Amino acid sequence: MPEPTEAPSAEPSPEQLATQLAAVIGRLLRRLRTTSSESLLTPTQRSVLARLDREGPDTTAALARAEYVRPQSMRLTLGALESQGLVGRAPDPADGRKSVMSITDAGLAALTAVRAAKHNWLAEAVAAELDADEQLTVARAAELLDRLVRT
C-alpha cells in the first residue's frame, strides 16, 4: 500500500481546492473510461446508450442536441449502434416521417457490462488502496461532493 500523503500544512483556498478537485476528478473519469475500454463501444456510443436508458427513446436530432454533436455525427453513431443490435428504430408516434431510437435488450446488456467493469475496478481499487479510516473519509467526501453538484 502506498505511503499516506501528508495533510496540507495550510488550509487551501477555495480556488486551490477547486483546481485540485477538477484535476483529480478528471483523472478518475479518464481511468473509469479506460477501465471499460475492452467493450467495443466508443465513449460517444456509451454516452448515447446511457442517455437512451436514462431518458427513453428519442429522435436523432434531439440526441444530437443533447450530446452536443452535429446530426450527421449522431446518425453515424446511431448507425453503428443499430448495426450491432444495441439500438432499435421505430416510427415517431407524433410524426411518422421521423424515427425514434431506443435501447434494445442487447444495448442494455452492453451498457450494464460497461457500468459493472467501472464499478468493479473502483471497488477493487478502494479495497486495495484505502484502509478503513480512509474509506470512511472518502465516503464523507463523496457526500460533500454530492451536495456540491446538487446546488
Side-chain angles (χ1 to χ4, degrees):
M1 183 160 35
E3 292 294 316
T5 57
E6 290 185 31
S9 57
E11 224 173 272
S13 70
E15 292 79 14
Q16 290 169 321
L17 189 53
T19 299
Q20 184 181 14
L21 275 173
V24 168
I25 290 170
R27 286 194 311 270
L28 176 62
L29 291 173
R30 281 188 296 282
R31 184 65 188 264
L32 287 169
R33 274 194 297 271
T34 62
T35 298
S36 60
S37 64
E38 70 279 352
S39 78
L40 299 175
L41 299 174
T42 67
T44 302
Q45 290 170 342
R46 289 191 303 263
S47 180
V48 169
L49 284 178
R51 183 174 300 283
L52 289 171
D53 178 42
R54 189 175 54 250
E55 298 176 10
D58 217 338
T59 63
T60 301
L63 288 166
R65 280 190 302 277
E67 294 289 323
Y68 301 103
V69 298
R70 294 187 331 243
Q72 299 88 335
S73 297
M74 183 55 65
R75 276 195 286 281
L76 291 173
T77 298
L78 290 169
L81 290 170
E82 191 173 21
S83 71
Q84 295 176 65
L86 304 178
V87 298
R89 179 185 310 267
D92 185 336
D95 182 350
R97 298 170 296 174
K98 297 179 184 176
S99 294
V100 174
M101 305 303 290
S102 59
I103 191 168
T104 63
D105 289 342
L108 190 53
L111 187 58
T112 300
V114 166
R115 288 173 174 161
K118 291 177 181 187
H119 179 269
N120 291 340
W121 171 81
L122 190 53
E124 288 172 10
V126 165
E129 298 295 327
L130 304 178
D131 65 28
D133 287 339
E134 290 170 326
Q135 289 180 29
L136 186 57
T137 299
V138 170
R140 289 181 180 141
E143 291 172 4
L144 294 173
L145 290 170
D146 187 52
R147 190 170 86 201
L148 280 178
V149 297
R150 288 179 189 236
T151 58

